[in-house]
Amino acid sequence: THAIDTLYGLAALQWDYSVKLMYSISIVGGDDVVDSDRGRYLNEGSLQSCTDPSQTDSTYCIFETYLVDDMERALGLKSGQFIVLFVKQADRHSVIVSFRLAPEMSLEGSGQDTAWVQSKVTELIAQMYDSQSHLYSGNLTFKTDPTWGVSKLSKKPRKFSKLFLSRPIPPKTIDAYERCKATHRCPRAWGEYNQSSAHTHHTFQEYLNGKHVEVPLFLDFEDWRRGIRGWEQSCRGGETGVCLPASVSEKEPKIPAGAHWSPFEFDALGPSVPTVGKLWNNGLVLNKIVLDLDIKDQLDLIEKYESLVAWMDQEFQHGVTGDAMLRSREQIRENITNYTETISAEKYVLAALVQSQCSNVQCNLLFNTSDASLSGAVNATGVITTTPDGTEVALWAFDSINIDEHVNITLTGQRAMALVSRSSVRINTTLNALPGTLGGFPGGLSVARRPNERFVRVCKEQVDSRQFLDTCKGKSTCCPGDQPISELKKDIKSNNVNGPGSPSSRVYLMTIQTSAPIVNEIQSITTRADRGQTLSGGMRLHFNGYSTPLLSHDITASDLKRKMEDSLNPAKRNQLTSFDRTESAAGLGVVDVTRESFGSSGGYRWNITFVSAVGNIGVDSSRLNVTNYLVSKGARVDVETVRHGNSIGGKFALHFLGNQTRFMKHDVMASDLGEILLQDIAPLSTAHVLRSDPTGNCNDGHCANGAGRSGGYTWTLTLTTPLGNISPFSPTSMEFDDEGVVTNMTALNQLTGCVDTQCPTIQIDMGHSRSHSREMRSIDGKKPFSLAFGGAGAGYGGEGGDGFGDIPSGKSYNDERISNLHGGSGGGVGVKQPFQLGVFKDPRGRGGSGGGAIEIVAINDIIIGSNASISCDGESGANGYMSAGGGGSGGTVLLAAGGVVQIDGKISAIGGAGGHKKADIPKKAGSFGGHGGGGAGGRMAFFSQSVVLGSTSMISLDGGNCSLTAKASQNCTGGDGTLFVASDLDTELTVDRNIGAEGTRGSLYLRPRMKRPPFNPRKLLSSTESGPEYDLGASVRPSRVSFYFRVENSSKLGWDATFELRESRWSYLSSKDSVYYTAMIGIVIGKQIRHGVNYIGVPFDDEHIKQLKTIKPFAQTTAWTKVDIRFNWKDRTHDV
């Protein structure tokens, strides 16, 4: 019964034998191979199929013809004496060929026949041991495998000789990986990543140039474009959002978490250049280091092919080829031509590589977000898109992005920026967004922006906006985008051009004037004496502390006028408008005097008309008094009021922004009015009020800022409110064409002081053109405008630092997940009140501009290299002599990857520092300004399967500092920004591109957390606490799983790691009972290498793992260990 072959049947013991040839059965028989549950075979020999003329050119019959010819020549057989019976698969690379040796018919009988057969078998065995025999020079039998012997008899190891090589490549090849595949230690497999579709395709070849068979997975981690793609810890989601079991397929997502756009929503830009390994550099690939390596690899590849052609040309009669398609030496010889064509194709690739990237151009790139243009080493035009709130973003989409430190990148434009990749993004150079670009708002100074200038920076980019006056010597051409407060007279549309986090307010400039009919007061001075007496002597007049010299009893009207104006005022008449009223009280001003005789004693009556004095003398001012120095019996002097001057009294109230104040006295002081406005008009933020005659020392009517003749006053108001302050989230927003509703102020008049039918009036005007203050009249806003002032810092991720004014610092906006791509805001200009911008021709203290906004999206990995710097910093506020500007807030950096976000470089979105006030004059400087507040830090968000911060990484979100000499009460440091990290994996997972098994350059690097979390299985299994998983798809049963691992040097081993095959992802299993926590099979890598099946496996639960069977002690660290697992799903067995 040992002659029974389970596939073939019954063998003839005397005549039937078998040999092993190193060919795949697919090459031997092609489509005629029969697949059965016992194996794969070909029975054409027994069926004598090749005797049919129609079959002679079939794959199998050509093979049989070569084999028969080789054996007849090697053994000296006649035609028909070597008969091929049956071919069956030995393994993927070999077949067992059953054959019959048919002796010639003879009269001596079967004994002689048997001896002849045995002699041929003996000769065949002998030739197997001789590498220079006819057997190994055959067209096809040179692939005889002596380890089988003849029918498993006389088995010998393969012998290597100079003439007959057993390797399909030259013995001194430099390609270790190819040697590993040629010797079958490594699988001849490929993992193809399609950049355009982000689909992966994995295939396996049983032999060189064989048929590609699809397999669930092959990863050698050599293609940087793929990254860690597929290794994740997330839910296999269905349309209902419920995690799917392994038996159900899911639709592959095309947009990473946190990203605003999918790269597949846009056409891919950039050139497409072939590179080594049949890969393509599609998109924005400018990496000199990688290019040099690719050119070297391509040169090595060409050299290898040329060496292989030379070797094959010399050795084809003797050498062994690994290409199973080449089934004879003739085909091997003919194939040299194919390699020649391959070499030509690879030289074309080499030429394309050498001419690619920055070979013929300067390695510069200019991204302009205003028109979405890209120019320089790569030229392309992106698209303008929006985030959910309508913020405009310039977006460039590429298949791949790889930029190294040799590339000089300039960023400009007013829109935010997005770079999206259908594969991975690798950046190892500087991306510096100047403040006030890429969505960052300008610093405080302007009240508007011209529609045709919204797409350019306010100041030219070569100009430091903080020193623009020094640099440009006052020339407006350096900052052409400015629309200063002086432009208000041009009826421009004003709104918040400094960003939603700026200390900007809607400013109303108003004047309130009360007036009434003017009635000059007339008083009389009358002298008299007893009848029969004659007056002599004189008198003295007194007013508000001033006195005249002795006046003659008969002084003339003109002399009395002169004496009164010279003596009852603090200065001569021509100086009444210029004396220091803080040192002297007001006098009576200008008077007109008439005289007439009175009585028979030489008396007179002088009528004094108060021409300039305010209101009712004696009520609104001091009384006119007299000292009697007359000489005569009964002499006296009387002062009487002939006509009272008109004086306003009563009260009034104001109505504004839907609120009404309480009633106030007709002469309410400025400070009181300001407090009442803030208390009673709820929407107001600040109220700055000046009143004419602020000291009450202007009743002589000669103050430039005095009350009116009837006691009316002018109040100059500067009011701020958030109402109507339209604050777009993007510098290019169309909202700048809109303007907030203008609210007018009205008065409720209960003033007294009517003359006949003419009563006091209250006039309220928009603007300060009627202000009593010259400084206030320096700006004129006939309608409200928006302005960021007060020197406060801008807010974004936090709140800005306090300035020196009453305007509150900028507030935070957006959210920590960065739902919209907003830039930073501008700090407040260094003035306490808007009018101060009009006082000086060239106002200093500009606020710092806000940082820009950059979003980077990759379907796979985002790698920020150690030489990389991404900066979206806010600008410092400008210094000034008596006041300084507030710092701009930092901007936005959003990184969203489907794989890993690995940061080894610097990413910064810090707030700008507050400007420094140089003057050390507390009284004067304090009334004008002070130190600026720091801007807040910006916002960053990183979304990925794993976020890895390398030892050289630096993440900066600090708020801006402020001057050390700032007041203790001034909380002037900007608040820190926010960092949001959404990592599905709790472990660090990256691709190490410096270490690979079997001569490859890449491997998956996993650094576990070393702190055991609280044990909560359902929480641990839900998402983030366990290691990465790779989903093989729906209902996949692999027949073989192979992987390499190594452990880095460590003083002691950390937690065990397990390689497991499971039914479904943890996210699905965790919703089930604990029985589903079972691993079908696991390899534990720790202090020992263990193996187990059907065990309870939960992350950080090592109790069950300890019970698994130890295969061997732990392998040496830093050395690769290969694990090979084969499965028989039919009988549910496997071997390791």
Side-chain angles (χ1 to χ4, degrees):
T1 55
H2 70 275
I4 298 175
D5 186 305
T6 56
L7 271 178
Y8 172 59
L10 195 62
L13 292 181
Q14 300 298 323
W15 291 356
D16 294 353
Y17 296 90
S18 62
V19 293
K20 186 177 182 181
L21 300 178
M22 291 181 288
Y23 289 107
S24 167
I25 195 169
S26 298
I27 294 303
V28 173
D31 294 336
D32 293 329
V33 176
V34 178
D35 292 312
S36 73
D37 57 359
R38 289 178 292 170
R40 306 176 73 196
Y41 68 88
L42 289 159
N43 198 26
E44 268 66 18
S46 296
L47 299 176
Q48 299 186 16
S49 300
C50 296
T51 59
D52 183 349
S54 65
Q55 296 294 321
T56 55
D57 291 332
S58 69
T59 300
Y60 170 79
C61 291
I62 293 174
F63 173 85
E64 183 179 291
T65 299
Y66 278 130
L67 179 59
V68 170
D69 288 347
D70 286 352
M71 284 298 190
E72 288 178 349
R73 183 168 59 86
L75 299 178
L77 302 177
K78 296 179 179 179
S79 177
Q81 288 189 310
F82 187 88
I83 304 170
V84 179
L85 301 176
F86 188 73
V87 180
K88 66 178 178 180
Q89 177 176 281
D91 54 49
R92 286 181 173 175
H93 313 286
S94 303
V95 292
I96 306 298
V97 180
S98 297
F99 61 91
R100 176 169 295 173
L101 292 173
E104 291 184 280
M105 298 300 296
S106 66
L107 298 175
E108 285 80 1
S110 61
Q112 184 175 350
D113 294 343
T114 300
W116 180 86
V117 170
Q118 289 299 323
S119 68
K120 296 300 180 184
V121 171
T122 301
E123 184 177 352
L124 179 58
I125 292 173
Q127 290 195 32
M128 281 189 181
Y129 299 159
D130 182 3
S131 61
Q132 300 186 46
S133 66
H134 291 298
L135 180 69
Y136 287 112
S137 65
N139 264 334
L140 190 145
T141 53
F142 73 96
K143 284 198 172 185
T144 300
D145 187 349
T147 62
W148 177 264
V150 178
S151 298
K152 294 187 180 181
L153 300 175
S154 302
K155 296 184 288 184
K156 296 289 183 180
R158 298 173 188 166
K159 287 187 176 182
F160 311 147
S161 73
K162 181 177 180 181
L163 290 179
F164 297 101
L165 304 174
S166 63
R167 296 289 181 261
I169 54 177
K172 294 183 180 180
T173 178
I174 59 176
D175 193 336
Y177 189 24
E178 182 60 34
R179 175 171 290 278
C180 182
K181 289 186 283 188
T183 56
H184 309 300
R185 296 196 314 273
C186 300
R188 193 173 291 279
W190 285 263
E192 178 189 358
Y193 180 77
N194 187 318
Q195 300 173 65
S196 298
S197 64
H199 284 112
T200 56
H201 186 233
H202 308 280
T203 60
F204 172 79
Q205 287 179 304
E206 293 186 351
Y207 43 81
L208 181 64
N209 291 335
K211 181 179 180 181
H212 282 267
V213 179
E214 190 167 341
V215 292
L217 180 64
F218 172 77
L219 295 173
D220 58 11
F221 300 103
E222 293 225 304
D223 185 359
W224 61 266
R225 302 161 188 82
R226 174 166 181 156
I228 70 162
R229 180 175 179 78
W231 293 98
E232 55 192 14
Q233 177 64 255
S234 58
C235 175
R236 299 179 73 249
E239 294 181 358
T240 61
V242 178
C243 296
L244 298 175
S247 58
V248 180
S249 297
E250 67 172 337
K251 195 171 183 180
E252 190 174 11
K254 295 294 184 184
I255 180 169
H260 290 108
W261 306 276
S262 166
F264 297 94
E265 297 175 20
F266 312 95
D267 293 335
L269 306 172
S272 183
V273 179
T275 185
V276 66
K278 301 189 184 304
L279 299 177
W280 290 81
N281 285 331
N282 293 347
L284 190 60
V285 181
L286 298 173
N287 190 313
K288 184 178 185 301
I289 297 173
V290 173
L291 177 62
D292 290 345
L293 185 60
D294 285 350
I295 291 175
K296 179 183 179 300
D297 288 347
Q298 190 67 14
L299 285 168
D300 290 344
L301 180 64
I302 293 171
E303 181 184 355
K304 181 182 77 171
Y305 282 144
E306 290 176 338
S307 175
L308 184 61
V309 167
W311 178 73
M312 292 176 64
D313 192 35
Q314 180 180 356
E315 303 288 344
F316 80 98
Q317 291 291 350
H318 311 287
V320 178
T321 176
D323 189 344
M325 290 292 290
L326 307 178
R327 303 187 306 169
S328 70
R329 294 196 181 279
E330 283 79 358
Q331 289 180 327
I332 294 173
R333 185 69 182 86
E334 293 169 359
N335 191 56
I336 295 177
T337 303
N338 295 335
Y339 275 106
T340 303
E341 295 174 355
T342 299
I343 291 171
S344 297
E346 297 300 342
K347 286 183 176 180
Y348 169 81
V349 172
L350 177 63
L353 274 175
V354 169
Q355 295 298 316
S356 68
Q357 300 191 28
C358 299
S359 302
N360 300 312
V361 295
Q362 289 186 331
C363 227
N364 299 329
L365 292 175
L366 172 63
F367 289 91
N368 189 329
T369 63
S370 289
D371 59 10
S373 65
L374 169 61
S375 57
V378 174
N379 296 285
T381 302
V383 297
I384 306 301
T385 183
T386 59
T387 58
D389 70 349
T391 297
E392 291 186 333
V393 179
L395 181 146
W396 290 268
F398 303 95
D399 279 352
S400 301
I401 300 175
N402 192 342
I403 308 171
D404 74 355
E405 61 267 33
H406 299 94
V407 183
N408 179 37
I409 297 180
T410 302
L411 307 179
T412 187
Q414 290 297 288
R415 295 184 173 101
M417 174 182 185
L419 297 175
V420 300
S421 168
R422 298 184 181 187
S423 62
S424 291
V425 173
R426 300 178 72 186
I427 294 175
N428 200 27
T429 189
T430 298
L431 298 180
N432 179 31
L434 288 176
T437 65
L438 271 63
F441 287 86
L445 181 71
S446 294
V447 295
R449 293 212 67 184
R450 302 179 186 93
N452 60 341
E453 293 181 348
R454 290 176 193 160
F455 294 100
V456 295
R457 194 169 183 247
V458 168
C459 292
K460 294 180 179 178
E461 295 188 10
Q462 64 270 28
V463 175
D464 184 343
S465 63
R466 293 170 295 167
Q467 308 297 334
F468 76 109
L469 291 173
D470 298 327
T471 304
C472 304
K473 298 180 181 179
K475 296 178 181 178
S476 61
T477 54
C478 279
C479 295
D482 275 336
Q483 286 276 266
I485 206 163
S486 59
E487 299 289 291
L488 290 173
K489 58 188 177 183
K490 296 181 180 180
D491 196 31
I492 59 176
K493 289 186 177 180
S494 174
N495 34 46
N496 180 10
V497 298
N498 305 115
S502 68
S504 173
S505 290
R506 197 69 170 163
V507 181
Y508 281 82
L509 304 181
M510 293 179 174
T511 54
I512 303 173
Q513 290 181 307
T514 57
S515 61
I518 298 174
V519 177
N520 292 332
E521 178 143 336
I522 302 175
Q523 294 187 11
S524 65
I525 302 174
T526 305
T527 59
R528 69 186 73 186
D530 292 345
R531 185 181 297 272
Q533 298 293 316
T534 300
L535 284 172
S536 63
M539 59 184 172
R540 297 182 69 184
L541 298 178
H542 311 283
F543 185 85
N544 202 23
Y546 299 104
S547 299
T548 65
L550 183 64
L551 304 175
S552 174
H553 70 93
D554 59 353
I555 188 170
T556 65
S558 60
D559 286 343
L560 180 59
K561 170 181 171 68
R562 178 173 54 80
K563 294 287 187 181
M564 290 181 69
E565 291 179 348
D566 288 346
S567 303
L568 300 183
N569 284 307
K572 299 297 182 182
R573 176 176 175 177
N574 60 352
Q575 298 175 344
L576 288 179
T577 59
S578 58
F579 75 92
D580 186 357
R581 292 178 182 268
T582 62
E583 301 293 335
S584 303
L588 52 67
V590 177
V591 296
D592 284 340
V593 180
T594 61
R595 192 189 77 169
E596 61 184 358
S597 298
F598 185 82
S600 60
S601 302
Y604 292 93
R605 173 172 288 168
W606 294 269
N607 289 317
I608 302 171
T609 302
F610 290 81
V611 177
S612 65
V614 174
N616 191 345
I617 305 300
V619 176
D620 296 318
S621 63
S622 175
R623 296 179 59 84
L624 180 64
N625 298 310
V626 64
T627 301
N628 185 357
Y629 292 101
L630 295 173
V631 178
S632 183
K633 185 178 180 180
R636 70 177 187 269
V637 182
D638 297 317
V639 178
E640 296 177 332
T641 299
V642 178
R643 184 177 69 189
H644 289 286
N646 190 29
S647 179
I648 296 175
K651 56 187 178 179
F652 67 97
L654 299 173
H655 188 276
F656 185 52
L657 298 176
N659 294 260
Q660 180 180 312
T661 68
R662 71 201 75 173
F663 277 91
M664 300 165 285
K665 289 179 60 178
H666 70 94
D667 59 351
V668 60
M669 295 297 292
S671 58
D672 293 336
L673 177 56
E675 290 182 10
I676 291 171
L677 285 169
L678 287 177
Q679 292 172 6
D680 295 354
I681 309 297
L684 288 181
S685 301
T686 64
H688 178 265
V689 181
L690 295 178
R691 196 201 72 174
S692 57
D693 191 12
T695 62
N697 193 26
C698 288
N699 287 335
D700 59 358
H702 281 275
C703 288
N705 61 348
R709 290 291 314 286
S710 301
Y713 291 92
T714 298
W715 291 269
T716 303
L717 278 59
T718 304
L719 309 177
T720 65
T721 176
L723 293 184
N725 191 29
I726 295 177
S727 300
F729 286 101
S730 168
T732 62
S733 173
M734 298 299 292
E735 287 186 85
F736 284 115
D737 294 331
D738 301 328
E739 200 165 21
V741 176
V742 177
T743 302
N744 293 313
M745 178 181 284
T746 58
L748 284 74
N749 187 348
Q750 293 186 9
L751 299 177
T752 61
C754 297
V755 175
D756 298 328
T757 59
Q758 296 184 8
C759 291
T761 61
I762 302 174
Q763 181 174 339
I764 301 176
D765 293 302
M766 197 77 77
H768 285 172
S769 61
R770 293 180 177 271
S771 174
H772 62 284
S773 168
R774 178 177 59 83
E775 290 83 1
M776 287 296 182
R777 293 194 301 272
S778 65
I779 60 172
D780 187 22
K782 295 298 184 183
K783 61 180 180 180
F785 59 91
S786 298
L787 181 68
F789 66 100
Y796 184 29
E799 293 192 0
D802 291 341
F804 48 79
D806 298 326
I807 299 298
S809 62
K811 305 303 180 185
S812 62
Y813 55 100
N814 210 344
D815 56 70
E816 63 177 8
R817 297 180 67 93
I818 310 181
S819 297
N820 292 281
L821 199 60
H822 298 154
S825 295
V829 66
V831 294
K832 205 163 190 177
Q833 292 298 329
F835 80 88
Q836 292 167 335
L837 289 173
V839 171
F840 301 101
K841 180 180 179 181
D842 294 327
R844 308 269 172 160
R846 178 194 291 270
S849 298
I854 298 175
E855 177 170 340
I856 300 175
V857 179
I859 291 296
N860 299 334
D861 292 357
I862 295 177
I863 309 296
I864 307 300
S866 58
N867 294 313
S869 173
I870 300 177
S871 173
C872 291
D873 294 341
E875 184 180 38
S876 297
N879 300 330
Y881 183 69
M882 290 190 295
S883 67
S889 56
T892 296
V893 178
L894 189 157
L895 306 179
V900 64
V901 168
Q902 179 178 343
I903 301 172
D904 295 309
K906 300 176 181 179
I907 304 180
S908 177
I910 63 175
H916 178 70
K917 176 201 71 173
K918 299 177 182 178
D920 188 20
I921 312 172
K923 181 178 179 181
K924 187 174 181 180
S927 65
F928 185 87
H931 299 297
R939 293 191 186 273
M940 295 185 196
F942 306 149
F943 299 85
S944 67
Q945 291 296 319
S946 177
V947 174
V948 180
L949 300 180
S951 60
T952 58
S953 65
M954 182 180 295
I955 307 298
S956 302
L957 283 159
D958 300 333
N961 295 321
C962 57
S963 175
L964 296 176
T965 59
K967 296 179 181 178
S969 60
Q970 183 182 352
N971 185 18
C972 56
T973 300
D976 291 342
T978 62
L979 172 62
F980 179 82
V981 177
S983 175
D984 289 332
L985 287 169
D986 190 55
T987 52
E988 292 186 2
L989 183 68
T990 59
V991 174
D992 189 330
R993 305 206 173 275
N994 299 311
I995 300 174
E998 302 289 8
T1000 59
R1001 294 172 178 162
S1003 56
L1004 197 66
Y1005 180 67
L1006 180 66
R1007 177 179 296 176
R1009 62 181 290 172
M1010 300 305 294
K1011 183 178 180 181
R1012 183 189 295 270
F1015 183 70
N1016 182 339
R1018 291 194 179 274
K1019 180 179 179 182
L1020 294 179
L1021 302 183
S1022 61
S1023 60
T1024 62
E1025 302 296 342
S1026 52
E1029 301 172 329
Y1030 197 100
D1031 193 340
L1032 297 177
S1035 304
V1036 172
R1037 290 183 171 185
S1039 60
R1040 187 172 185 174
V1041 173
S1042 302
F1043 67 94
Y1044 291 80
F1045 75 86
R1046 63 180 268 171
V1047 178
E1048 297 302 302
N1049 280 321
S1050 176
S1051 58
K1052 65 176 183 178
L1053 294 177
W1055 303 109
D1056 293 338
T1058 59
F1059 180 93
E1060 296 174 342
L1061 291 181
R1062 290 185 171 272
E1063 176 188 357
S1064 293
R1065 285 189 176 179
W1066 275 121
S1067 52
Y1068 175 76
L1069 296 176
S1070 62
S1071 64
K1072 304 296 181 182
D1073 295 332
S1074 59
V1075 67
Y1076 289 94
Y1077 299 170
T1078 303
M1080 291 187 291
I1081 184 173
I1083 302 295
V1084 181
I1085 303 163
K1087 295 180 180 179
Q1088 299 87 28
I1089 299 178
R1090 298 187 178 98
H1091 161 251
V1093 295
N1094 299 328
Y1095 63 90
I1096 298 294
V1098 177
F1100 296 98
D1101 174 19
D1102 51 9
E1103 292 302 318
H1104 292 89
I1105 292 177
K1106 291 178 180 178
Q1107 309 305 318
L1108 302 185
K1109 181 180 179 180
T1110 298
I1111 299 178
K1112 58 181 292 187
F1114 177 72
Q1116 178 184 354
T1117 57
T1118 71
W1120 289 102
T1121 298
K1122 182 182 180 181
V1123 179
D1124 214 8
I1125 310 171
R1126 291 183 296 180
F1127 297 90
N1128 186 328
W1129 292 95
K1130 182 179 180 182
D1131 60 13
R1132 299 178 183 175
T1133 60
H1134 69 279
D1135 65 65
V1136 183

